[in-house]
Amino acid sequence: MMTFQIKIEGFADADEALAMQEPVARVLCPVAEHNGPCEIPWAFTLTDNHDLVLGIYTTRQRAAELTADVQQATAHPTALTKAPPGHFDDLADQYRIEHPST
């Protein structure tokens, strides 16, 4: 398990990028109101170039699958990379707290 980021590119402005958060969130968590934690901790940020960046804490294989799912849901170019140090660091802690038996 490690922290990855999926960059979603090609938005005209910040508002357009931010509007895509909900469809992307439904890829990760199809039921918005559910009991218990999400299977995969996730968070968003926005770059200065209006790219939406999704941080996830999961396996490399699952991250690749999610990248394909996000690209299909958004119809925007996506790129999967390991998250740089200092980006989305809290997701690993969130996973450990929410999934103590794993």
Side-chain angles (χ1 to χ4, degrees):
M1 303 271 293
M2 61 182 7
T3 306
F4 295 93
Q5 61 183 30
I6 301 170
K7 186 189 299 186
I8 308 159
E9 304 172 325
F11 298 103
D13 56 34
D15 289 337
E16 185 181 347
L18 292 172
M20 195 57 67
Q21 288 183 23
E22 185 63 23
V24 172
R26 297 295 63 86
V27 169
L28 290 156
C29 184
V31 178
E33 301 297 323
H34 59 81
N35 292 327
C38 291
E39 174 189 350
I40 298 171
W42 53 274
F44 289 108
T45 191
L46 192 63
T47 70
D48 292 340
N49 295 330
H50 314 301
D51 297 328
L52 186 61
V53 181
L54 170 65
I56 53 176
Y57 183 75
T58 189
T59 64
R60 184 175 303 279
Q61 178 179 344
R62 188 69 179 117
E65 293 167 357
L66 286 171
T67 301
D69 293 344
V70 166
Q71 184 168 11
Q72 183 176 15
T74 63
H76 282 264
T78 59
L80 175 65
T81 59
K82 183 177 175 190
H87 292 94
F88 303 111
D89 287 346
D90 57 329
L91 295 179
D93 292 335
Q94 179 182 343
Y95 183 85
R96 284 188 282 278
I97 291 167
E98 293 176 345
H99 301 88
S101 62
T102 57

